[in-house]
Amino acid sequence: MVTTAGTRRLTERGAKTRARIVAAAADLMYVKGVGDTTLDDVLAASGVSKSQLYHHFNGKEALVRAVIEHMGEFVINRERDALGRVSTIRGLRRWRDALVQANALRHGAYGCAIGSLASEVSDHDDVARAALSRLFLEWQGLLAAVLQRMQDAGTLPPEASVDQLATGLMAALQGGYLLAQTAHDVAPMATSIDMALAHIESLSAG
């Protein structure tokens, strides 16, 4: 038996069906947007029946919340792997390069997976907004941890606020994603992050 984020306990087969529905919905909502993705779209993409979908989700709102959990887990795990051992400005620049290059493969078309969700659902679903807020705070915390390691190593001066710098870097990243999405060009994203990193580097105690 598998326990989902709610109270329902699923068989292994049921868990696989649910995961297939969520994965299909996540792909569709990332490309088409939440508003333009219908449950019929999800049924067609996942290959499940309507009764199976409604067995796991009582409507689109519940499915969107599951997509947020799914995409959030993917993004945070990726960022944890990328940032977990970074302790230098050079390491942050490698992190920047990886994100920009990955977005360049899509010509900046879709933006940040969780940022795009936030722009669509935050105003009308407080549960989803709170979940997204926690994800952004966790991501920002990973950046703050990098900056703290730099400060501990003497790269950043002790008076520098790692939390404020992490907030600025996250804002530059998300703003860069949005600019890349609207322009279908990753150049604004690269510039935005570069400016934030240049500011952090300018504070170097060395």
Side-chain angles (χ1 to χ4, degrees), residues 113-191:
I114 59 176
S116 297
L117 287 167
S119 68
E120 290 201 68
V121 306
S122 292
D123 287 343
H124 59 266
D125 186 338
D126 284 341
V127 173
R129 181 195 58 75
L132 287 159
S133 178
R134 287 191 296 270
L135 289 169
F136 280 123
L137 284 173
E138 187 170 359
W139 194 348
Q140 188 172 310
L142 293 172
L143 291 170
V146 172
L147 297 170
Q148 185 63 61
R149 288 191 288 273
M150 292 173 61
Q151 193 171 62
D152 292 344
T155 306
L156 287 176
E159 65 272 16
S161 170
V162 296
D163 289 334
Q164 289 182 356
L165 290 173
T167 298
L169 184 51
M170 175 59 76
L173 171 61
Q174 291 301 319
Y177 266 124
L178 180 60
L179 292 173
Q181 185 176 11
T182 55
H184 281 204
D185 183 353
V186 295
M189 177 185 181
T191 299

XYZ file of all heavy atoms in Angstrom, residues 113-191:
573
model
N 9.147 26.243 -13.792
C 8.023 25.323 -13.603
C 7.110 25.766 -12.472
O 5.881 25.781 -12.625
C 8.548 23.910 -13.353
N 7.681 26.132 -11.332
C 6.816 26.530 -10.218
C 6.461 28.012 -10.290
O 5.398 28.417 -9.824
C 7.423 26.149 -8.852
C 8.778 26.796 -8.621
C 7.519 24.644 -8.717
C 9.344 26.509 -7.227
N 7.315 28.815 -10.902
C 6.982 30.220 -11.075
C 5.779 30.410 -11.985
O 4.914 31.255 -11.735
N 5.710 29.603 -13.047
C 4.570 29.682 -13.961
C 3.284 29.284 -13.265
O 2.229 29.901 -13.464
C 4.818 28.772 -15.175
O 5.942 29.210 -15.911
N 3.355 28.255 -12.428
C 2.178 27.852 -11.660
C 1.751 28.958 -10.704
O 0.560 29.257 -10.564
C 2.477 26.565 -10.883
C 2.570 25.276 -11.696
C 3.167 24.163 -10.851
C 1.193 24.867 -12.205
N 2.733 29.577 -10.052
C 2.414 30.628 -9.083
C 1.671 31.783 -9.741
O 0.722 32.334 -9.159
C 3.703 31.128 -8.423
N 2.072 32.143 -10.942
C 1.445 33.285 -11.616
C -0.007 33.009 -11.968
O -0.810 33.933 -12.105
C 2.229 33.644 -12.886
O 2.106 32.625 -13.867
N -0.370 31.729 -12.090
C -1.729 31.390 -12.501
C -2.674 31.072 -11.351
O -3.880 31.293 -11.466
C -1.700 30.195 -13.461
C -1.112 30.502 -14.815
C -1.564 29.498 -15.865
O -2.754 29.486 -16.205
O -0.713 28.707 -16.310
N -2.174 30.533 -10.264
C -3.090 30.022 -9.244
C -3.075 30.789 -7.927
O -3.999 30.640 -7.115
C -2.820 28.527 -8.948
C -2.851 27.709 -10.221
C -1.490 28.329 -8.221
N -2.068 31.612 -7.694
C -1.911 32.227 -6.370
C -3.073 33.134 -5.976
O -3.395 33.260 -4.795
C -0.603 33.016 -6.304
O 0.507 32.141 -6.358
N -3.701 33.779 -6.949
C -4.755 34.735 -6.625
C -6.076 34.086 -6.233
O -6.923 34.750 -5.628
C -5.003 35.679 -7.813
C -3.885 36.686 -7.994
O -3.104 36.878 -7.041
O -3.789 37.271 -9.082
N -6.284 32.813 -6.580
C -7.599 32.221 -6.330
C -7.561 30.887 -5.589
O -8.612 30.273 -5.403
C -8.358 32.058 -7.652
C -7.646 31.200 -8.655
N -6.831 31.730 -9.620
C -7.618 29.859 -8.831
C -6.341 30.757 -10.359
N -6.794 29.611 -9.905
N -6.400 30.444 -5.159
C -6.324 29.193 -4.398
C -5.293 29.378 -3.291
O -4.092 29.272 -3.521
C -5.931 28.035 -5.320
C -5.983 26.671 -4.628
O -5.911 26.627 -3.379
O -6.078 25.647 -5.327
N -5.773 29.656 -2.082
C -4.862 29.942 -0.973
C -4.025 28.730 -0.585
O -2.876 28.872 -0.149
C -5.649 30.428 0.248
C -6.120 31.869 0.094
O -5.552 32.581 -0.763
O -7.048 32.266 0.817
N -4.577 27.533 -0.733
C -3.828 26.322 -0.408
C -2.656 26.161 -1.374
O -1.522 25.884 -0.967
C -4.734 25.073 -0.440
C -3.917 23.795 -0.268
C -5.801 25.168 0.656
N -2.946 26.356 -2.652
C -1.889 26.264 -3.661
C -0.855 27.361 -3.465
O 0.354 27.124 -3.582
C -2.496 26.352 -5.059
N -1.316 28.579 -3.156
C -0.390 29.697 -2.946
C 0.555 29.402 -1.782
O 1.762 29.653 -1.866
C -1.177 30.983 -2.662
C -0.292 32.211 -2.461
C -1.074 33.350 -1.828
N -1.648 32.966 -0.557
C -0.960 32.836 0.566
N 0.350 33.047 0.588
N -1.571 32.478 1.675
N 0.002 28.854 -0.698
C 0.834 28.543 0.468
C 1.868 27.472 0.129
O 3.017 27.545 0.570
C -0.044 28.089 1.627
N 1.455 26.475 -0.649
C 2.386 25.411 -1.048
C 3.508 25.974 -1.908
O 4.682 25.625 -1.735
C 1.640 24.310 -1.792
N 3.157 26.857 -2.832
C 4.165 27.472 -3.697
C 5.097 28.372 -2.895
O 6.306 28.402 -3.145
C 3.476 28.261 -4.808
C 2.821 27.398 -5.887
C 1.762 28.184 -6.647
C 3.865 26.845 -6.846
N 4.535 29.093 -1.928
C 5.364 29.946 -1.078
C 6.399 29.124 -0.326
O 7.572 29.518 -0.225
C 4.478 30.711 -0.095
O 5.257 31.515 0.771
N 5.981 27.972 0.186
C 6.931 27.096 0.895
C 8.033 26.612 -0.034
O 9.207 26.525 0.362
C 6.186 25.908 1.505
C 5.333 26.263 2.720
C 4.852 25.025 3.439
N 3.970 24.214 2.616
C 2.644 24.365 2.580
N 2.053 25.312 3.291
N 1.900 23.581 1.813
N 7.685 26.316 -1.279
C 8.681 25.847 -2.243
C 9.706 26.949 -2.546
O 10.912 26.694 -2.589
C 7.997 25.391 -3.531
C 7.207 24.092 -3.442
C 6.369 23.897 -4.694
C 8.141 22.902 -3.241
N 9.214 28.168 -2.755
C 10.138 29.268 -3.021
C 11.040 29.534 -1.818
O 12.234 29.818 -1.972
C 9.365 30.534 -3.398
C 8.895 30.556 -4.816
C 7.550 30.705 -5.121
C 9.790 30.434 -5.863
C 7.107 30.730 -6.433
C 9.367 30.451 -7.193
C 8.012 30.607 -7.470
N 10.476 29.439 -0.616
C 11.290 29.649 0.577
C 12.353 28.568 0.715
O 13.485 28.846 1.129
C 10.390 29.676 1.816
C 9.576 30.960 2.022
C 8.613 30.787 3.184
C 10.490 32.157 2.255
N 11.997 27.335 0.365
C 12.982 26.257 0.441
C 14.090 26.471 -0.586
O 15.276 26.270 -0.290
C 12.301 24.907 0.226
C 13.227 23.722 0.455
C 12.499 22.385 0.467
O 11.261 22.355 0.318
O 13.208 21.363 0.619
N 13.719 26.862 -1.779
C 14.700 27.148 -2.837
C 15.604 28.300 -2.409
O 16.832 28.228 -2.525
C 13.945 27.482 -4.113
C 14.762 27.493 -5.380
C 16.124 27.456 -5.500
C 14.236 27.539 -6.709
N 16.481 27.482 -6.830
C 15.351 27.536 -7.586
C 12.958 27.587 -7.247
C 15.195 27.585 -8.977
C 12.798 27.635 -8.627
C 13.906 27.634 -9.480
N 14.988 29.353 -1.895
C 15.766 30.497 -1.414
C 16.683 30.096 -0.267
O 17.818 30.588 -0.150
C 14.804 31.600 -0.965
C 15.481 32.908 -0.614
C 14.453 34.004 -0.382
O 13.562 34.218 -1.199
N 14.569 34.684 0.737
N 16.217 29.169 0.569
C 17.050 28.682 1.662
C 18.286 27.960 1.167
O 19.362 28.048 1.785
N 18.158 27.249 0.055
C 19.324 26.581 -0.531
C 20.347 27.614 -1.006
O 21.560 27.421 -0.845
C 18.889 25.689 -1.697
C 18.029 24.484 -1.338
C 17.504 23.800 -2.607
C 18.813 23.475 -0.503
N 19.859 28.705 -1.592
C 20.768 29.783 -2.016
C 21.404 30.458 -0.803
O 22.603 30.755 -0.810
C 19.994 30.808 -2.847
C 19.514 30.344 -4.226
C 18.571 31.368 -4.832
C 20.698 30.088 -5.152
N 20.614 30.680 0.241
C 21.161 31.295 1.451
C 22.237 30.419 2.069
O 23.238 30.921 2.603
C 20.040 31.551 2.458
N 22.054 29.101 1.995
C 23.050 28.190 2.553
C 24.372 28.292 1.785
O 25.454 28.223 2.389
C 22.527 26.753 2.514
N 24.295 28.459 0.464
C 25.515 28.664 -0.323
C 26.223 29.940 0.132
O 27.442 29.956 0.370
C 25.180 28.759 -1.829
C 26.428 29.162 -2.621
C 24.628 27.439 -2.343
N 25.459 30.999 0.263
C 26.042 32.283 0.662
C 26.592 32.226 2.086
O 27.617 32.849 2.385
C 24.988 33.380 0.532
C 24.482 33.605 -0.896
C 23.274 34.525 -0.900
C 25.585 34.162 -1.791
N 25.937 31.452 2.945
C 26.446 31.286 4.299
C 27.785 30.561 4.294
O 28.708 30.918 5.049
C 25.441 30.511 5.153
C 25.825 30.393 6.621
C 25.885 31.740 7.302
O 24.886 32.446 7.373
N 27.066 32.123 7.802
N 27.907 29.553 3.434
C 29.197 28.843 3.332
C 30.280 29.787 2.810
O 31.434 29.720 3.253
C 29.053 27.610 2.424
C 28.253 26.478 3.066
C 28.360 25.192 2.262
N 27.626 25.229 1.001
C 26.337 24.908 0.857
N 25.628 24.551 1.924
N 25.761 24.936 -0.319
N 29.911 30.654 1.874
C 30.874 31.635 1.381
C 31.276 32.597 2.494
O 32.450 32.959 2.619
C 30.268 32.403 0.191
C 30.076 31.563 -1.057
S 29.178 32.425 -2.388
C 30.284 33.801 -2.713
N 30.317 32.993 3.306
C 30.623 33.887 4.422
C 31.500 33.192 5.463
O 32.459 33.777 5.976
C 29.321 34.373 5.060
C 29.487 35.538 6.013
C 28.137 36.094 6.433
O 27.338 35.394 7.045
N 27.881 37.353 6.095
N 31.194 31.947 5.747
C 31.994 31.186 6.712
C 33.433 31.023 6.232
O 34.372 30.960 7.045
C 31.372 29.807 6.951
C 30.041 29.883 7.679
O 29.736 30.932 8.265
O 29.283 28.875 7.633
N 33.605 30.963 4.906
C 34.946 30.808 4.335
C 35.681 32.136 4.211
O 36.850 32.161 3.812
C 34.847 30.135 2.966
N 34.996 33.220 4.523
C 35.628 34.533 4.431
C 35.476 35.197 3.078
O 36.009 36.284 2.863
N 34.729 34.575 2.167
C 34.526 35.171 0.842
C 33.587 36.359 0.908
O 33.768 37.344 0.183
C 33.975 34.121 -0.134
O 34.833 32.977 -0.125
C 33.879 34.665 -1.542
N 32.589 36.267 1.757
C 31.672 37.379 1.982
C 31.947 37.965 3.359
O 32.221 37.221 4.304
C 30.214 36.905 1.902
C 29.660 36.562 0.520
C 28.244 36.013 0.645
C 29.669 37.789 -0.390
N 31.837 39.264 3.499
C 32.101 39.887 4.800
C 31.020 39.514 5.818
O 29.878 39.225 5.447
C 32.066 41.388 4.480
C 31.210 41.494 3.261
C 31.489 40.261 2.465
N 31.345 39.522 7.091
C 30.390 39.107 8.121
C 29.156 39.989 8.194
O 28.102 39.534 8.644
C 31.214 39.182 9.417
C 32.385 40.044 9.107
C 32.678 39.842 7.663
N 29.268 41.242 7.749
C 28.109 42.130 7.839
C 27.117 41.935 6.685
O 26.002 42.474 6.713
C 28.552 43.591 7.868
C 29.232 44.101 6.613
C 30.742 43.879 6.623
O 31.230 43.068 7.449
O 31.424 44.524 5.808
N 27.492 41.154 5.674
C 26.586 40.902 4.556
C 25.414 40.038 5.022
O 25.606 39.053 5.729
C 27.325 40.219 3.415
N 24.205 40.399 4.620
C 23.019 39.630 4.981
C 22.780 38.539 3.937
O 22.363 38.831 2.812
C 21.791 40.536 5.064
O 20.615 39.759 5.198
N 23.076 37.303 4.302
C 22.912 36.216 3.338
C 21.444 36.039 2.966
O 21.124 35.667 1.833
C 23.518 34.890 3.863
C 25.014 35.018 4.050
C 22.848 34.453 5.157
N 20.540 36.301 3.897
C 19.113 36.155 3.588
C 18.660 37.192 2.565
O 17.916 36.870 1.621
C 18.273 36.275 4.865
C 18.436 35.074 5.783
O 18.760 33.981 5.283
O 18.245 35.227 7.005
N 19.122 38.433 2.732
C 18.754 39.464 1.765
C 19.376 39.191 0.403
O 18.731 39.381 -0.638
C 19.178 40.840 2.272
C 18.345 41.349 3.444
C 18.752 42.739 3.893
O 19.713 43.317 3.376
N 18.039 43.274 4.869
N 20.616 38.747 0.398
C 21.267 38.420 -0.875
C 20.575 37.261 -1.569
O 20.417 37.259 -2.800
C 22.744 38.093 -0.639
C 23.635 39.264 -0.230
C 25.028 38.769 0.135
C 23.712 40.316 -1.335
N 20.147 36.276 -0.797
C 19.428 35.137 -1.377
C 18.092 35.584 -1.948
O 17.663 35.106 -3.021
C 19.223 34.051 -0.322
N 17.418 36.502 -1.259
C 16.157 37.033 -1.778
C 16.386 37.752 -3.098
O 15.630 37.572 -4.065
C 15.527 38.016 -0.766
O 15.230 37.321 0.449
C 14.232 38.604 -1.318
N 17.424 38.564 -3.165
C 17.734 39.273 -4.399
C 18.086 38.330 -5.538
O 17.669 38.538 -6.685
N 18.854 37.300 -5.222
C 19.246 36.334 -6.251
C 18.028 35.558 -6.747
O 17.881 35.316 -7.956
C 20.305 35.382 -5.690
C 20.907 34.358 -6.650
C 21.405 35.020 -7.933
C 22.042 33.601 -5.963
N 17.131 35.184 -5.840
C 15.914 34.487 -6.247
C 15.034 35.392 -7.111
O 14.465 34.957 -8.116
C 15.146 34.008 -5.014
C 13.797 33.371 -5.324
S 13.919 31.924 -6.419
C 14.541 30.713 -5.273
N 14.930 36.658 -6.728
C 14.140 37.599 -7.520
C 14.729 37.771 -8.919
O 14.000 37.839 -9.919
C 14.059 38.951 -6.811
N 16.053 37.837 -9.003
C 16.711 37.958 -10.308
C 16.452 36.722 -11.154
O 16.200 36.820 -12.363
C 18.211 38.166 -10.116
N 16.495 35.564 -10.524
C 16.256 34.315 -11.245
C 14.832 34.252 -11.779
O 14.612 33.977 -12.969
C 16.528 33.132 -10.318
C 16.128 31.741 -10.827
C 16.897 31.398 -12.102
C 16.380 30.700 -9.744
N 13.851 34.514 -10.903
C 12.457 34.416 -11.324
C 12.093 35.504 -12.324
O 11.362 35.256 -13.291
C 11.540 34.462 -10.107
C 11.635 33.223 -9.223
C 11.299 31.945 -9.979
O 10.366 31.909 -10.787
N 12.072 30.896 -9.735
N 12.618 36.719 -12.106
C 12.393 37.772 -13.089
C 13.029 37.427 -14.428
O 12.453 37.695 -15.488
N 14.202 36.810 -14.371
C 14.864 36.396 -15.598
C 14.085 35.340 -16.344
O 13.968 35.378 -17.580
N 13.537 34.388 -15.604
C 12.680 33.368 -16.237
C 11.502 34.034 -16.956
O 11.150 33.664 -18.086
C 12.138 32.410 -15.188
C 12.940 31.148 -14.972
C 13.424 30.813 -13.709
C 13.184 30.247 -16.017
C 14.145 29.640 -13.498
C 13.900 29.086 -15.815
C 14.370 28.782 -14.556
O 15.079 27.618 -14.355
N 10.864 34.996 -16.299
C 9.700 35.650 -16.884
C 10.070 36.426 -18.144
O 9.371 36.363 -19.162
C 9.065 36.586 -15.856
C 7.826 37.364 -16.320
C 6.712 36.412 -16.732
C 7.347 38.297 -15.208
N 11.178 37.159 -18.087
C 11.620 37.912 -19.265
C 11.975 36.970 -20.416
O 11.664 37.256 -21.573
C 12.819 38.788 -18.905
C 12.538 39.953 -17.956
C 13.839 40.634 -17.546
C 11.587 40.959 -18.591
N 12.630 35.857 -20.087
C 12.968 34.879 -21.124
C 11.714 34.284 -21.740
O 11.648 34.039 -22.951
C 13.847 33.776 -20.532
N 10.704 34.061 -20.895
C 9.455 33.477 -21.384
C 8.744 34.412 -22.352
O 8.249 33.982 -23.402
C 8.546 33.151 -20.198
C 7.252 32.434 -20.575
C 6.453 32.050 -19.341
O 6.750 32.482 -18.231
N 5.441 31.243 -19.537
N 8.690 35.687 -22.002
C 7.984 36.629 -22.873
C 8.764 36.928 -24.148
O 8.171 37.158 -25.201
C 7.690 37.940 -22.125
O 8.912 38.474 -21.597
C 6.718 37.708 -20.979
N 10.094 36.896 -24.053
C 10.925 37.195 -25.225
C 11.249 35.961 -26.055
O 11.700 36.071 -27.189
C 12.228 37.850 -24.784
N 11.014 34.770 -25.492
C 11.480 33.519 -26.109
C 12.971 33.607 -26.415
O 13.449 33.203 -27.467
C 10.688 33.197 -27.382
C 9.352 32.586 -27.103
N 8.684 31.799 -28.009
C 8.563 32.617 -26.001
C 7.544 31.394 -27.493
N 7.446 31.886 -26.271
N 13.691 34.138 -25.433
C 15.130 34.353 -25.566
C 15.713 34.332 -24.154
O 15.225 35.039 -23.267
C 15.374 35.717 -26.224
C 16.844 36.015 -26.466
O 17.699 35.220 -26.009
O 17.138 37.044 -27.098
N 16.747 33.534 -23.940
C 17.296 33.408 -22.590
C 18.265 34.535 -22.228
O 18.708 34.608 -21.084
C 18.018 32.054 -22.396
C 17.028 30.910 -22.491
C 19.168 31.897 -23.383
N 18.571 35.419 -23.163
C 19.536 36.484 -22.881
C 19.126 37.344 -21.683
O 19.968 37.652 -20.823
C 19.752 37.353 -24.119
N 17.858 37.766 -21.561
C 17.497 38.566 -20.386
C 17.652 37.791 -19.080
O 18.004 38.383 -18.047
C 16.024 38.923 -20.641
C 15.827 38.778 -22.105
C 16.727 37.653 -22.509
N 17.407 36.505 -19.114
C 17.579 35.669 -17.921
C 19.046 35.635 -17.516
O 19.386 35.815 -16.337
C 17.071 34.259 -18.204
C 17.253 33.272 -17.060
S 16.744 31.602 -17.574
C 17.040 30.693 -16.051
N 19.917 35.423 -18.478
C 21.352 35.381 -18.196
C 21.824 36.710 -17.621
O 22.575 36.748 -16.637
C 22.115 35.044 -19.476
N 21.368 37.810 -18.221
C 21.775 39.137 -17.750
C 21.291 39.398 -16.334
O 22.030 39.929 -15.488
C 21.228 40.216 -18.698
O 21.767 40.008 -20.005
C 21.601 41.610 -18.207
